[in-house]
Amino acid sequence: FAHNGEVPKFTQPKNPQSGCGTTEVPMLGRCTELIYLPVGDTDSEAVFCAMLNALRAEFTTLPTLPVLYEAIQRLSCEIVRGDEKETIFNFLLGCGQFTMFAFSWPGAREGSKVWNGLHYLVRTPPFKTATLKDVDYAVDFNETNDDNDRVAIIATKPLTHLENWKEMERGQLLMFDNGLPYSRPYECAGIERRGRGLSSRAFPSSEICPYKYAYNIPKLLRRLTCKALGKDQGDDCSAVWAERAVDLGCGAGLSGAQFRQCVGHLTGV
């Protein structure tokens, strides 16, 4: 976990007697018990522990990547909510051997002109020479990489001249795998199907690859269900309308990602 920014909700006050102590980490999501506690007093440690506590409370088994993506997105929005203008929240979160998540809520500190956000660049063959912006130095990546390589670089600001750096949007969560960014559930499911998720046994190999299709049926089903129950709030429907539910068609995890926030406990079969 690496964090660049300032999160008021998790910043310890200068006078400890006027606010929470280092062991009183705010709880996120369904968390009711603090298992992970920060050693120091930085907002980076506090927010990391809060996310770990929330994920521990959310899952009793390893989630599929689409479900994990949705959970991290939901927690990130919860961290920012209420302090949108004051918060600067940019982080990288490694999950397992292959996967890394990147979230950006950019901004500038009071009195500073320095913009803190996240930019990323994907380098693919044929590799070229890159020149750094802040130092008179160039690297010929054709000498350090071959035709089988693909590299993603994530930084606070663009590091080199004449390369296609992209700034992440406010509130955007990207999942990086094998040098490429992904942001849709069916894309995350496709990565898991290749055996690069937290548990590669999540999908039978005979099923159709969902990442080939713009598959939005689970989202439509959630909207229709919420509407039938009088809980429809549009795409942001997050009303909890059942204590327990069972996903009888649990394969790619796409339905679980949509219905998880609507029930207290979801079991996939």
Side-chain angles (χ1 to χ4, degrees), residues 245-250 266-269:
V246 177
D247 181 1
L248 297 178
C250 183
L266 179 65
T267 300
V269 178

Side-chain angles (χ1 to χ4, degrees), residues 30 58-62 64 67 242-251 253 255-257 259-269:
R30 303 174 187 275
E58 182 87 8
F59 304 110
T60 56
T61 58
L62 290 176
T64 59
V67 175
E243 182 178 348
R244 292 181 177 273
V246 177
D247 181 1
L248 297 178
C250 183
S255 294
F259 283 92
R260 180 65 185 89
Q261 58 190 320
C262 300
V263 299
H265 181 84
L266 179 65
T267 300
V269 178

